Amino acid sequence: MTIFQRIIDREIPADIVYEDDLSLAFRDINGQAPTHILIIPKQAIPSLAESTDEDTPLLGHLLMVARKVAVQLQLTNGYRTVINSGRDGGQSVNHLHVHLLGGRPLGWPPG
Ligand code: AMP
């Protein structure tokens, strides 16, 4: 079981900013920008690499939640969405999640 499953199960606290039947969004504990939100599916998919064609609606849903949370948190100057996958992608929690970053200009390319 991952730490994100424990957040879904309310076993450990999180600063939740959005929730619906399919997903949960909360503040990253080690924010890399003034606003840094993680959007996760309640259904535990380990990574984007391990998702399947059947997950297409759920993956789309996560991006729509990112858009709604960006509006809710007033990221009017723009924002970035990131999905790290696997070791080289820098994924550290094996429960698929979308990072939503904003509140400052973000550099490109990422490291
Ligand atoms: P990644 O490296 O893409 O797998 O992202 C995992 C993210 O989860 C990191 O940015 C961590 O700071 C964040 N994180 C880990 N544990 C927690 C937690 N308990 N609550 C909120 N964010 C967390």
Side-chain angles (χ1 to χ4, degrees):
M1 173 174 304
T2 70
I3 194 126
F4 290 174
Q5 187 61 51
R6 297 184 66 200
I7 289 173
I8 292 168
D9 294 342
R10 301 302 202 270
E11 288 176 13
I12 61 169
D15 186 353
I16 294 168
V17 297
Y18 176 92
E19 181 172 19
D20 62 26
D21 288 350
L22 300 176
S23 68
L24 190 65
F26 52 91
R27 291 189 192 274
D28 194 296
I29 204 166
N30 183 26
Q32 300 300 314
T35 298
H36 186 169
I37 305 297
L38 301 173
I39 300 145
I40 67 173
K42 290 184 174 176
Q43 175 194 329
I45 302 168
S47 71
L48 185 62
E50 291 158 276
S51 66
T52 68
D53 289 359
E54 282 69 48
D55 297 320
T56 300
L58 180 58
L59 293 173
H61 182 79
L62 297 178
L63 289 181
M64 291 305 100
V65 170
R67 173 177 57 78
K68 288 176 184 168
V69 171
V71 170
Q72 177 187 326
L73 299 181
Q74 300 178 310
L75 298 177
T76 51
N77 290 332
Y79 50 85
R80 182 170 297 163
T81 49
V82 175
I83 302 174
N84 296 324
S85 189
R87 190 177 55 193
D88 279 4
Q91 183 176 7
S92 62
V93 178
N94 293 326
H95 183 128
L96 190 153
H97 48 283
V98 178
H99 294 259
L100 171 66
L101 298 131
R104 67 168 172 85
L106 298 161
W108 191 264

